[in-house]
Amino acid sequence: MTDIPFLSLAIWVPIIGGLVVLATGSDRAAPLARTLALITAVFAFAVTIPLYLRFDAAFSGMQFVEFAPWITHFGGHIGGSGNINYHLGIDGISVWFILLNAFITILVVIAGWQVIQNRVAQYMAAFLIMSGLMNGIFAALDGVLFYVFFEASLIPLYLLIGIWGGPNRVHAAIKFFLFTLAGSLLMLLALLYLYNISGSFSIIDWHQQREGLSAGVQNVIFLAFLVAFGVKVPMWPVHTWLPDAHVEAPTGGSVVLAAIALKLGAYGFLRFSLPIVPDAAIALAPLVIALSLIAVVYIGLVALVQADMKKLVAYSSIAHMGFVTLGFFMFNPLAVEGALVQMISHGFVSAAMFLCIGVLYDRMHSRQIADYGGVVHTMPKFAAFFMLFAMANAGLPATSGFVGEFMVILGAVKYNFWVAFFAATTLILGAAYTLWMYKRVVFGAVRNSHVAALTDINGREFFFLAVLALCVLAMGVYPFPFTEVMHVTVNDLLRHVVAGKL
Amino acid sequence: MNFVVPETGQYLSPAAGEIFVALAVLVIMLATVFARRAARGLAYFLTQLTLLVTALITISTLDSNTHFTFSDMFVSDPLSGLLKLVVVFAVMVALLYGRGYLADRKLDRPEYYLLVLLMTLGMMVMITANHMLVLYVGLEMMSLALYVLIAFDRDSVRSTEAGMKYFVLGALASGLLLYGMSMVYGATGSLDLTIIANKTSAFAIDSPSTDRTVLLFGIVFIVAGIAFKFGVVPFHMWVPDVYQGAPTAVTLLIATAPKLAAFAMAVRLLVWGLPHLAFHWQSMLMFVAAASIILGNLAALVQHDLKRMLAYSGISHMGFVLLGLLSGFAHDGVVFNEPIYSHRWFSLAFSGALFYAISYVLMSLAAFGMIVLLSRAGFEAVRIDDFKGLNRRSPWFAAMMMFVMFSMAGIPFFVGFFAKFIVLQAVLEAGHLWLAVVAIVMSVIGAFYYLRIVKLMYFDEPVDASPLRAPAELRVMLSVNGLAVAVLGIAPQALLTLCEHAFRASSLYR
């Protein structure tokens, strides 16, 4: 389609930029590190824009494909191509996530501008490298390449939580790493099994593979994927690492974790579970739907009683991601598209929520709801932004949060009334925990002298909150550009799933 | 058996490297006697030069053919060439790392370097043996040199104790191995591995000349001897004590090149010599490998001494190497209660095991090199707490150590990931799903103690904030070593091709 390897650029610009930033070394060169990081992040975002502009929404296959053999050692003794390839490409499902990822990276760099005074170069480099690795996950079309990016992206986040995190950061960082590693190693076994029956590591080949995928085998592979991606999403009951990680992570870490890292698991379902083992996906869909509904209802209730703002938003993320997995496994286009829109919207909204909490934390060094009250009196501009994002988190119409939830609920009604009924409780629960938190933090009388001494947001904070507010509103009012690109791909995927392989 | 001394140079050339090292040892011994005052520096310099020339000789005599010499007792093939090169290289790097360490402790006596060369010679003989006795002679030459090296710090109780322990247990293991060899000799009437392979083939199974019971009995002892040299469960007890007790410069030597020699021994004895009995030794190795991976990872979790931790982690890594070795043969069916092996063997499994062993040597060199880097006169950085806050003291070397730790844990983009990946693929291809599951579950558990080192380096504040002082050569080499772990993880193709070529070209059935 084009000669410029945009996907490779999207992956390697931030990684190489990150290494350059790392080379600036000590904190004496911190201003240089910040500037370089910002330039890299902006440039990395710029190279992803053509991915959207030149994207052919009418074409369901892979676009911007790049292919080069990486390791040819495996060929020969099974048949098939057998190599591990550097094989990239995107379709309507993945294109928005790469843009979202590059966009969020800019915000994270800006958000850490003043807050991080300690080992600045390492902080910025870790975010940039992670951004590149995550683009790699979304663009990989080779099973091993996907796995390599998937695992490697754990390292920067582990360091981010562990170095710049809160008091209990070591526990949170190691828990995060081991949970995800345990899941993804099971996926590795599934990938190796798929290679042994197909003689190829290409995800596209696996989509077409029929031989060796009996119902029983499909179920086992599906469960392996379910554990791997379920931990990452995270689904109930393997979600316990997320509140810990969110609470301890620095603001930027929480933003990237919620906005991008959680999407990797959901993306994995669409790229692996549904097309490779469609019959198992259909057979075991009730299981996933049940887990998703538990996440929506039970985790929603858990969120209600949190005393820590970050923990509350973390639980709200789990509930929202439960909505995403729910949408995927009802196999109708409306629900799947709704789930994808929900993913992107959650990327904006959760990023904004964590940034808002970060703004408060930078001033008060507390995340306890009880320490706040009456913030609106001292920070009116901030309170307005926070209000918008809280509403979006609760799914108010005309914000991005509404679009996805509404589409998924519509899809659910077609699927089964009771599923839709329980799914719809999210509108009540989401409003309850978000707005109640908002009320306690922002409204009421000024609670203590610390709140009275708060200063309103500065230009830098105004900038990133305003940009996010625009995104949230734009997506809520006019979601067409988002659904447009995914429409054909999603329909194609669902046809493939329903056709089955047995 | 008539032993024929080769008459022309052509027949000596496959052994040129070994002959050169043997001569060099004598020359260096004499030279250091006469040099007196400059002996220490001279011995080091001449030893490195010898190793370099040996590497060059190995490269220049390397081709894709298999050469036999000394009445077929000695074989030179691409496999031995590659192994010898890596062994020589590993010894060179280990000597370079250890030089300052030894000088600080007044251990850099010329004898040290002579013993290292003798150990290297022993390993080279093991690698090129096509005969059980030659292999045994090489093994003893390596082991005897190591016994002395471990106890080299003779004023240290730990060092001498470790030397004694290794000596007693090593002697026992040698005895077991020799006993097993005698059984195989009794059953087949030969010590030549090629002849043994032919005599035990499927076609000879029912002939009265081969006694099955004695043969199988012998294999048990041979596997025990091999397991001891690998340091795998249940013959692992010496590993942590010896690693901990020996001076770190010597630990560097034990933990790296001898693993490749053990690998060569396993390949020559089991894969070359007894391929038709693979069913039997495979099942033994399965137990040994699974037990090593389980015990190594669990025991490493609770160590506070980095050398002991690396020792236990080494046990589990050797378990992975064995996983590759045991997945290489698949039998085609069972005849007379005996599985029949045709030519269907998976070079991927063997070359994967070799790839694993080489990458382990690389990672192990860097890990012990880091201990040397952090140590100084009168201080051994062996507690894992000594790595606290390394990122503050030296971000560069903290990153190098992080590479090595993540690589050992099997996280991409580091070489350890591909090593594990290929071995697991081979295990699955051979149909041992349960072994793969054990390996994977234990990898997750094992990841914890590697993560703990990274945690100490990055998340904690340093106890001792003094900047690192180390010779430039150590810094440069350690950086190259750490970067190699990363670069080989991104581009493993070349090394993989070499490993695979070594096994494909070294003909298995002759």
Side-chain angles (χ1 to χ4, degrees):
Chain A
M1 190 173 196
T2 168
D3 288 324
I4 305 172
F6 285 111
L7 284 176
S8 280
L9 285 177
I11 296 170
W12 296 107
V13 163
I15 292 181
I16 292 168
L19 294 177
V20 172
V21 170
L22 201 55
T24 60
S26 71
D27 283 345
R28 269 167 305 180
L32 175 66
R34 291 190 186 106
T35 320
L36 270 177
L38 185 62
I39 293 171
T40 308
V42 171
F43 184 56
F45 180 57
V47 296
T48 62
I49 290 173
L51 292 177
Y52 176 71
L53 294 181
R54 299 194 187 184
F55 191 85
D56 179 2
F59 179 62
S60 76
M62 291 296 163
Q63 307 184 27
F64 302 97
V65 173
E66 291 171 38
F67 186 92
W70 182 20
I71 300 169
T72 55
H73 175 81
F74 281 82
H77 52 100
I78 291 181
S81 63
N83 294 340
I84 299 172
N85 298 309
Y86 179 75
H87 189 181
L88 303 175
I90 50 170
D91 60 7
I93 295 170
S94 43
V95 58
W96 268 109
F97 293 109
I98 293 185
L99 268 84
L100 179 67
N101 181 18
F103 172 69
I104 293 290
T105 306
I106 302 181
L107 293 189
V108 165
V109 168
I110 298 175
W113 202 264
Q114 283 170 352
V115 184
I116 301 296
Q117 292 294 340
N118 182 8
R119 289 181 262 191
V120 178
Q122 291 184 355
Y123 178 87
M124 296 294 178
F127 274 113
L128 290 172
I129 292 172
M130 188 161 59
S131 167
L133 292 175
M134 289 195 294
N135 277 340
I137 300 172
F138 288 123
L141 292 183
D142 185 280
V144 179
L145 191 67
F146 175 88
Y147 183 82
V148 163
F149 280 125
F150 196 77
E151 287 263 281
S153 69
L154 298 182
I155 298 174
L157 199 50
Y158 170 73
L159 294 176
L160 280 169
I161 296 175
I163 299 179
W164 294 277
N168 201 12
R169 59 188 198 271
V170 174
H171 171 78
I174 290 183
K175 192 172 176 183
F176 154 76
F177 198 101
L178 291 183
F179 259 72
T180 324
L181 183 68
S184 51
L185 280 172
L186 283 178
M187 173 171 73
L188 182 67
L189 275 185
L191 299 185
L192 284 172
Y193 181 83
L194 285 168
Y195 169 67
N196 280 336
I197 58 168
S198 69
S200 166
F201 279 116
S202 161
I203 297 174
I204 310 291
D205 287 353
W206 290 346
H207 287 185
Q208 305 306 327
Q209 176 76 19
R210 287 170 175 275
E211 199 186 324
L213 287 175
S214 64
V217 171
Q218 285 201 24
N219 284 344
V220 174
I221 294 181
F222 182 84
L223 290 176
F225 282 142
L226 180 64
V227 174
F229 300 134
V231 168
K232 200 85 177 175
V233 165
M235 296 173 75
W236 185 87
V238 284
H239 64 279
T240 59
W241 63 270
L242 186 76
D244 285 342
H246 265 315
V247 168
E248 300 304 330
T251 303
S254 288
V255 169
V256 169
L257 192 59
I260 312 296
L262 301 192
K263 310 301 180 287
L264 300 173
Y267 171 76
F269 280 121
L270 284 191
R271 188 61 84 224
F272 288 86
S273 305
L274 292 186
I276 294 176
V277 286
D279 302 295
I282 291 173
L284 294 175
L287 171 71
V288 182
I289 290 176
L291 293 178
S292 308
L293 286 178
I294 292 175
V296 169
V297 179
Y298 166 71
I299 300 293
L301 290 171
V302 171
L304 206 51
V305 296
Q306 295 306 314
D308 180 312
M309 283 191 277
K310 257 189 158 177
K311 232 175 189 162
L312 189 147
V313 180
Y315 279 112
S316 119
S317 284
I318 301 171
H320 282 108
M321 291 309 289
F323 229 75
V324 171
T325 46
L326 176 71
F328 287 166
F329 282 86
M330 292 186 298
F331 309 111
N332 68 57
L334 196 60
V336 175
E337 281 176 33
L340 282 167
V341 170
Q342 169 82 342
M343 281 162 77
I344 299 166
S345 150
H346 179 256
F348 292 133
V349 175
S350 64
M353 290 296 279
F354 281 117
L355 286 171
C356 285
I357 295 170
V359 165
L360 287 179
Y361 182 80
D362 294 340
R363 288 166 173 72
M364 298 267 290
H365 297 284
S366 166
R367 293 180 305 259
Q368 299 302 315
I369 297 174
D371 290 347
Y372 293 88
V375 170
V376 68
H377 300 295
T378 45
M379 299 176 74
K381 276 187 275 181
F382 170 77
F385 278 122
F386 198 15
M387 170 70 109
L388 173 70
F389 298 131
M391 288 300 184
N393 201 39
L396 184 80
T399 63
S400 64
F402 174 74
V403 182
E405 289 186 3
F406 186 63
M407 286 167 81
V408 173
I409 292 172
L410 278 185
V413 172
K414 282 192 198 166
Y415 179 81
N416 177 318
F417 170 74
W418 287 105
V419 170
F421 175 79
F422 284 110
T425 58
T426 189
L427 293 173
I428 301 164
L429 289 171
Y433 57 72
T434 317
L435 298 184
W436 192 36
M437 183 263 281
Y438 184 80
K439 180 222 143 204
R440 283 179 291 168
V441 170
V442 177
F443 292 145
V446 173
R447 178 172 282 251
N448 53 40
S449 58
H450 298 294
V451 175
L454 284 177
T455 50
D456 209 346
I457 47 179
N458 60 26
R460 185 179 54 87
E461 289 161 342
F462 185 87
F463 171 74
F464 59 68
L465 291 180
V467 170
L468 277 172
L470 279 179
C471 293
V472 167
L473 285 175
M475 196 175 168
V477 176
Y478 189 63
F480 179 71
F482 296 91
T483 54
E484 175 206 12
V485 291
M486 56 186 69
H487 199 64
V488 176
T489 315
V490 166
N491 279 332
D492 208 52
L493 172 72
L494 287 177
R495 264 199 302 280
H496 177 80
V497 173
V498 173
K501 287 185 174 180
L502 290 176
Chain B
M1 184 176 60
N2 297 318
F3 181 71
V4 184
V5 176
E7 288 171 0
T8 57
Q10 187 194 344
Y11 296 103
L12 282 177
S13 69
E18 285 81 355
I19 294 169
F20 176 75
V21 176
L23 290 176
V25 170
L26 301 177
V27 172
I28 295 172
M29 187 150 46
L30 284 178
T32 50
V33 168
F34 289 107
R36 289 170 189 275
R37 197 167 282 196
R40 288 162 197 250
L42 186 71
Y44 173 79
F45 174 73
L46 286 178
T47 303
Q48 291 286 36
L49 188 69
T50 306
L51 290 170
L52 185 67
V53 173
T54 312
L56 291 177
I57 292 175
T58 311
I59 292 170
S60 66
T61 55
L62 201 60
D63 58 27
S64 299
N65 300 321
T66 306
H67 304 278
F68 292 93
T69 186
F70 294 114
S71 307
D72 288 357
M73 292 166 101
F74 200 93
V75 60
S76 167
D77 54 12
L79 177 66
S80 66
L82 178 62
L83 280 172
K84 274 195 273 186
L85 265 183
V86 182
V87 161
V88 168
F89 172 74
V91 173
M92 284 175 80
V93 174
L95 284 179
L96 192 150
Y97 286 167
R99 192 186 180 195
Y101 178 94
L102 292 168
D104 284 344
R105 286 157 188 75
K106 308 270 183 288
L107 291 175
D108 58 341
R109 295 192 288 271
E111 304 90 283
Y112 179 86
Y113 296 105
L114 289 176
L115 285 167
V116 170
L117 275 184
L118 284 172
M119 181 189 92
T120 315
L121 179 60
M123 290 191 282
M124 290 169 76
V125 171
M126 282 169 81
I127 289 168
T128 43
N130 191 41
H131 190 277
M132 285 191 168
L133 276 186
V134 176
L135 199 148
Y136 182 76
V137 168
L139 177 69
E140 282 305 283
M141 188 178 243
M142 176 188 88
S143 303
L144 282 170
L146 271 178
Y147 301 145
V148 185
L149 282 172
I150 292 165
F152 206 75
D153 189 2
R154 63 183 175 204
D155 296 330
S156 153
V157 179
R158 282 207 159 166
S159 174
T160 42
E161 185 197 322
M164 194 63 199
K165 215 175 251 170
Y166 190 48
F167 176 66
V168 173
L169 290 174
L172 183 69
S174 297
L176 290 178
L177 183 69
L178 208 53
Y179 192 49
M181 287 174 172
S182 72
M183 298 258 182
V184 173
Y185 179 69
T188 61
S190 175
L191 286 167
D192 186 307
L193 292 170
T194 317
I195 297 172
I196 292 172
N198 288 332
K199 288 234 174 169
T200 54
S201 75
F203 307 105
I205 266 177
D206 289 328
S207 72
S209 66
T210 323
D211 189 326
R212 313 285 312 158
T213 316
V214 174
L215 199 54
L216 295 184
F217 213 58
I219 292 180
V220 175
F221 287 103
I222 288 182
V223 169
I226 291 172
F228 181 87
K229 289 299 158 190
F230 265 117
V232 285
V233 179
F235 303 97
H236 64 284
M237 271 76 147
W238 63 275
V239 180
D241 290 345
V242 169
Y243 277 30
Q244 186 186 19
T248 307
V250 179
T251 312
L252 259 169
L253 287 168
I254 314 170
T256 53
K259 303 289 182 198
L260 285 174
F263 178 83
M265 182 163 91
V267 168
R268 296 288 184 215
L269 284 176
L270 299 179
V271 181
W272 261 222
L274 300 160
H276 305 289
L277 296 155
F279 177 75
H280 300 285
W281 54 258
Q282 273 176 347
S283 38
M284 290 179 227
L285 289 188
M286 269 183 213
F287 164 76
V288 169
S292 306
I293 293 173
I294 293 171
L295 184 129
N297 278 318
L298 289 181
L301 285 177
V302 293
Q303 303 303 322
H304 295 288
D305 183 296
L306 185 61
K307 277 157 92 179
R308 283 188 88 84
M309 191 205 96
L310 288 173
Y312 280 111
S313 113
I315 292 173
S316 80
H317 284 298
M318 288 304 113
F320 268 96
V321 172
L322 291 182
L323 277 189
L325 275 181
L326 69 86
S327 306
F329 289 109
H331 58 80
D332 290 343
V334 179
V335 179
F336 298 124
N337 289 326
E338 203 55 54
I340 302 301
Y341 292 89
S342 69
H343 288 238
R344 203 161 74 85
W345 61 295
F346 305 127
S347 66
L348 177 73
F350 294 125
S351 49
L354 178 58
F355 184 83
Y356 202 111
I358 292 177
S359 37
Y360 173 72
V361 167
L362 203 62
M363 297 185 287
S364 188
L365 274 175
F368 286 106
M370 286 299 300
I371 299 181
V372 173
L373 179 80
L374 292 186
S375 302
R376 51 181 185 273
F379 173 70
E380 301 269 340
V382 290
R383 289 179 312 133
I384 59 170
D385 284 351
D386 294 329
F387 279 77
K388 268 189 178 172
L390 185 63
N391 184 38
R392 289 268 186 212
R393 298 171 66 191
S394 166
W396 175 256
F397 286 107
M400 292 299 129
M401 186 65 173
M402 181 177 74
F403 287 178
V404 175
M405 288 296 115
F406 278 126
S407 177
M408 282 190 169
I411 309 290
F413 285 89
F414 303 105
V415 67
F417 165 71
F418 278 106
K420 282 207 168 67
F421 180 73
I422 298 163
V423 166
L424 283 177
Q425 156 65 18
V427 170
L428 279 184
E429 200 177 329
H432 310 303
L433 179 64
W434 70 274
L435 274 177
V437 171
V438 167
I440 276 193
V441 169
M442 297 318 294
S443 298
V444 177
I445 294 173
F448 175 77
Y449 57 85
Y450 300 119
L451 282 181
R452 189 172 56 173
I453 302 287
V454 177
K455 173 235 161 198
L456 289 173
M457 293 190 303
Y458 280 87
F459 306 170
D460 290 352
E461 293 301 319
V463 181
D464 160 24
S466 62
L468 298 178
R469 280 181 310 242
E473 59 192 32
L474 172 60
R475 285 164 173 273
V476 171
M477 194 61 224
L478 201 52
S479 307
V480 171
N481 194 336
L483 288 176
V485 169
V487 169
L488 278 177
I490 294 170
Q493 179 80 64
L495 184 56
L496 269 175
T497 313
L498 270 180
C499 290
E500 192 170 38
H501 176 73
F503 271 98
R504 276 198 199 282
S506 305
S507 60
L508 183 55
Y509 292 91
R510 298 182 294 262

